[in-house]
Amino acid sequence: MRVKLNGKWWNLRFVPQLRDYGDMVDPGKASGRRIRIWTWQADEELLDTIVHEALHCIEPDWTEEKVTEAAKELARLLWRLGYRRQPD
């Protein structure tokens, strides 16, 4: 899936194996920008990971601590509002 974040296009993929919950790579070229999300997470944790990696793309200068805290707050809000991933 292609998504636009901070004016840049990213390839977003859900993958069955990953060393971490998610990661992102921005080599500077549109064709190489990618976000990967590990599929085997609880639904609420999955939402947190998606928001976390999106924030890295939107605010690349933020520290990991700041991204983590902001992602947790936004994911908690979205979860309480009823946002859930729809089956493919």
Side-chain angles (χ1 to χ4, degrees):
M1 159 190 310
R2 301 228 337 129
V3 296
K4 193 171 189 180
L5 299 167
N6 198 24
K8 297 178 182 178
W9 285 100
W10 298 80
N11 293 308
L12 172 63
R13 302 217 188 285
F14 293 90
V15 297
Q17 292 183 335
L18 199 59
R19 295 175 89 184
D20 207 348
Y21 293 109
D23 64 17
M24 57 77 72
V25 174
D26 183 0
K29 296 184 206 171
S31 62
R33 285 187 203 106
R34 74 170 190 250
I35 303 167
R36 297 184 304 172
I37 307 294
W38 182 50
T39 54
W40 301 105
Q41 300 178 61
D43 290 343
E44 192 170 358
E45 191 171 68
L46 182 67
L47 179 60
D48 181 276
T49 301
I50 293 166
V51 172
H52 181 103
E53 297 307 329
L55 283 173
H56 274 302
C57 299
I58 293 167
E59 294 292 346
D61 295 330
W62 281 11
T63 64
E64 184 67 21
E65 182 178 278
K66 187 171 185 174
V67 168
T68 298
E69 186 58 36
K72 285 188 183 311
E73 290 179 14
L74 287 170
R76 190 177 313 119
L77 169 65
L78 292 170
W79 190 261
R80 290 185 66 201
L81 290 172
Y83 285 84
R84 306 292 187 270
R85 183 172 180 213
Q86 297 298 311
D88 296 333

